[in-house]
Amino acid sequence: MGDTKATEVLVTGATGFVGRRLTPALVEAGHAVRAMTRRPEEYAGPGEAVGADVHDPDTLGPALAGIDVAVYLVHSLDSDDFETRDAAAARAFGAAAAEAGCRQIVYLGGLGAEGAQLSPHLRSRREVEGLLGEAGVPVTVLRAAIVVGAGGISWELTRQLVKNLPAMVVPQWVGTRTQPIGIDDVVRYLVGVVDEPRAVGRVFEIGGPDQLTYLEMLQVAAEVRDGSRLPILKLPVLTPRLSSYWLALVTDVDVTTGRNLIDSMGTEVLVTDESIREIVPGEPVPYAEAVRRALEDIGRD
């Protein structure tokens, strides 16, 4: 760190929800970016495209060769055995990063209090944090709750529910509090910790300024979208499995992904440590503004 040459940064999942926004931001910040994707021939973003797959360890060495900082944005929520798959991928990636001489791995994980009864989804995110650093490369972790932006799974659930239903029957977990964050702020924080000595080996919590229940998030999204007030009826019993079938019926999110997400929605996920602001100063945007930007992005697409 402190070299005069540009930092070589590898972004995994470069065509995904976060990755496709992060790569141009890193280039703009002066880094030399390598965009890792399973289909490099289709990559049209900035930086150098490289073909590799975290689930195929043999492909990782060439992708990581010469890399200073690796940003890890991979998870497998659409798989029934996502915990096993994500653990194996994280262990292999951490080992390959160590072999390549990387000096930092940056990981976007999930919020959730230490010692809490975490869902399989959040428990897996927490396990990946440790496995990435197992071979010795220091890991910087940013833990977030729902990320609001066009193309994000949790946001798409919110948007499509509000768009497709004139009224909603919802389970009890809509009363759980969370702390959503806009995608622009997530990207700002990720860029801010890349090759930053004060961030190496540390865990940070990131979130927007609003602590909201899922019910309040739905209501605000409806109001920002078209000024409407969404009639909502809470049911005392609606299991994650039933909820996931219901989501698959009224949105384009598949049953497996929906169930894995819903399993996490009974856990309160709030920011309790704001030390990220010492490293990356600036006020994150409120939830309503993040929703407005996400809807604008969808309109442009």
Side-chain angles (χ1 to χ4, degrees):
M1 300 180 188
D3 291 351
T4 53
K5 77 175 185 67
T7 304
E8 298 281 344
V9 183
L10 176 75
V11 177
T12 67
T15 58
F17 168 49
V18 178
R20 70 176 182 267
R21 293 167 169 87
L22 179 60
T23 47
L26 287 167
V27 169
E28 191 176 323
H31 300 301
V33 177
R34 196 176 295 171
M36 181 175 135
T37 169
R38 284 175 292 184
R39 290 178 288 277
E41 68 282 356
E42 297 175 15
Y43 181 73
E48 173 200 353
V50 60
D53 183 350
V54 295
H55 301 295
D56 182 358
D58 291 342
T59 65
L60 296 176
L64 282 158
I67 290 296
D68 301 311
V69 179
V71 184
Y72 194 80
L73 301 171
V74 179
H75 57 84
S76 313
L77 267 185
D78 56 352
S79 169
D80 281 323
D81 63 342
F82 71 90
E83 287 186 89
T84 304
R85 284 174 59 80
D86 281 352
R91 185 177 280 115
F93 190 86
E99 181 71 23
C102 286
R103 57 183 181 233
Q104 182 191 26
I105 295 173
V106 176
Y107 174 57
L108 182 60
L111 270 177
E114 296 293 346
Q117 277 293 102
L118 298 179
S119 67
H121 169 215
L122 293 176
R123 189 173 65 230
S124 172
R125 292 292 185 98
R126 200 59 50 85
E127 181 185 25
V128 165
E129 292 178 12
L131 293 174
L132 282 171
E134 200 175 54
V137 180
V139 180
T140 300
V141 180
L142 300 185
R143 292 178 181 167
I146 286 179
V147 179
V148 182
I153 295 172
S154 299
W155 159 247
E156 280 303 309
L157 281 177
T158 304
R159 183 187 71 82
Q160 291 180 37
L161 286 173
V162 167
K163 174 176 177 281
N164 296 340
L165 297 177
M168 213 178 301
V169 177
V170 295
Q172 288 291 80
W173 49 253
V174 294
T176 305
R177 288 190 306 162
T178 185
Q179 196 157 342
I181 181 170
I183 182 62
D184 293 344
D185 285 312
V186 171
V187 168
R188 182 170 64 86
Y189 285 135
L190 285 167
V191 172
V193 299
V194 164
D195 212 19
E196 167 52 63
R198 295 171 297 163
V200 172
R202 293 179 63 184
V203 175
F204 299 97
E205 298 180 345
I206 60 173
D210 304 304
Q211 295 184 348
L212 303 166
T213 66
Y214 290 104
L215 185 59
E216 289 167 336
M217 286 178 61
L218 290 167
Q219 295 287 20
V220 170
E223 288 167 13
V224 172
R225 182 177 177 269
D226 58 12
S228 66
R229 189 78 184 162
L230 199 63
I232 292 180
L233 172 67
K234 272 198 247 183
L235 281 187
V237 179
L238 194 58
T239 65
R241 183 173 290 276
L242 283 175
S243 293
S244 64
Y245 285 122
W246 169 66
L247 288 176
L249 189 66
V250 295
T251 73
D252 61 13
V253 175
D254 68 88
V255 171
T256 303
T257 300
R259 187 166 68 245
N260 288 332
L261 280 173
I262 288 164
D263 278 342
S264 303
M265 289 178 171
T267 304
E268 190 168 86
V269 283
L270 302 174
V271 172
T272 59
D273 175 4
E274 296 194 340
S275 56
I276 185 64
R277 289 168 179 249
E278 300 163 13
I279 311 293
V280 190
E283 290 298 316
V285 302
Y287 174 65
E289 171 62 14
V291 168
R292 188 189 64 76
R293 292 183 187 182
L295 292 171
E296 273 187 2
D297 283 351
I298 291 163
R300 278 196 292 270
D301 289 344

